[in-house]
């Protein structure tokens, strides 16, 4: 696995130790299968965003703490210029750019997300996390499988849902760019 994964794995392990929690406790509270959680801490498995988000919540830190090793510092407002958010790839078919990673005490996590078009139509594993989510399509077309239902969105379309419902996004015909806001 790559060095960034190892670094995030080390941060998770250290924060779990500081919190005085066992691997079993964090895995259970984050809704992650224990074997998968152990692989995350070992740095032998890449993180799904939803699991990383849930683990950060269990450990009582902002997701930025896990990704950057620094706590958000800004208060009042944060300005993020085009293409200058905190970029990270949590799954092969999704690229995220966190648009407010350095803002303290966020009540929501805003992201610019790109879903790569995969002409093979290969099924993706659904993921879920606490809270609610709002997705707004900027460019391209997206199919979101939400709790077994296929919902299609185009530019200007949006969807708001309980993010505890398992969901997976697919780009239709070409890459899809959308804004996702995860509300805690």
């Amino acid at each position: 696995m790559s060095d960034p994964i190892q670094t995030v794995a080390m941060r998770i392990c250290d924060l779990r130790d500081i919190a005085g929690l066992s691997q079993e406790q964090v895995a259970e509270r984050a809704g992650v299968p224990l074997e998968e959680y152990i692989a995350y801490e070992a740095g032998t498995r890449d993180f799904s965003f939803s699991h990383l988000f849930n683990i950060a919540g269990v450990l009582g830190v902002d997701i930025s703490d896990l990704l950057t090793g620094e706590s958000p510092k800004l208060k009042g407002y944060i300005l993020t210029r085009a293409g200058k958010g905190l970029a990270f790839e949590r799954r092969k078919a999704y690229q995220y750019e966190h648009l407010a990673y350095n803002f303290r005490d966020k009540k929501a996590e805003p992201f610019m997300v790109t879903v790569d078009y995969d002409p093979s139509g290969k099924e993706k594993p659904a993921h879920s996390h606490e809270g609610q989510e709002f997705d707004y399509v900027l460019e391209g077309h997206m199919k979101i499988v939400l709790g077994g239902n296929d919902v299609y969105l185009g530019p200007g379309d949006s969807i708001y849902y309980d993010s505890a419902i398992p969901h997976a996004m697919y780009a239709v015909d070409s890459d899809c760019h959308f804004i996702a806001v995860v509300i805690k």
Side-chain angles (χ1 to χ4, degrees):
M1 287 280 155
S2 67
D3 186 57
I5 292 170
Q6 292 288 327
T7 303
V8 171
M10 181 184 63
R11 289 182 189 129
I12 289 172
C13 187
D14 289 347
L15 287 166
R16 180 185 54 75
D17 285 342
I18 290 167
L21 298 171
S22 68
Q23 289 180 324
E24 293 81 6
Q25 289 171 310
V26 175
E28 182 180 337
R29 292 177 190 174
V32 178
L34 180 59
E35 292 169 7
E36 192 172 324
Y37 179 80
I38 290 170
Y40 287 159
E41 270 199 17
T44 59
R45 182 177 179 139
D46 196 1
F47 306 93
S48 77
F49 169 74
S50 57
H51 286 168
L52 197 60
F53 185 78
N54 291 345
I55 290 166
V58 169
L59 297 174
V61 297
D62 190 283
I63 195 167
S64 296
D65 290 293
L66 298 180
L67 294 172
T68 67
E70 295 184 19
S71 293
K73 296 172 180 55
L74 299 177
K75 194 173 159 176
Y77 73 92
I78 181 171
L79 172 64
T80 304
R81 298 285 182 195
K84 299 297 183 185
L86 177 63
F88 62 101
E89 186 176 312
R90 291 287 57 126
R91 292 175 180 232
K92 198 169 194 115
Y94 302 102
Q95 290 89 44
Y96 295 88
E97 183 181 345
H98 199 303
L99 301 176
Y101 67 94
N102 205 18
F103 191 85
R104 288 181 11 197
D105 305 321
K106 289 183 292 299
K107 296 185 183 354
E109 302 283 346
F111 299 94
M112 175 68 70
V113 182
T114 299
V115 179
D116 294 332
Y117 174 63
D118 180 2
S120 75
K122 181 180 173 188
E123 187 174 332
K124 298 177 186 177
H127 55 279
S128 62
H129 47 89
E130 290 184 23
Q132 299 171 344
E133 187 166 332
F134 172 76
D135 298 335
Y136 180 88
V137 177
L138 298 168
E139 186 179 318
H141 292 83
M142 176 171 68
K143 174 178 88 169
I144 179 169
V145 178
L146 184 61
N149 297 305
D150 293 353
V151 180
Y152 290 87
L153 297 98
D157 292 342
S158 66
I159 186 167
Y160 190 101
Y161 55 95
D162 179 345
S163 47
I165 298 171
H167 52 284
M169 286 83 164
Y170 298 83
V172 178
D173 298 327
S174 64
D175 293 353
C176 180
H177 305 281
F178 66 98
I179 293 174
V181 180
V182 177
I183 300 120
K184 300 176 184 181

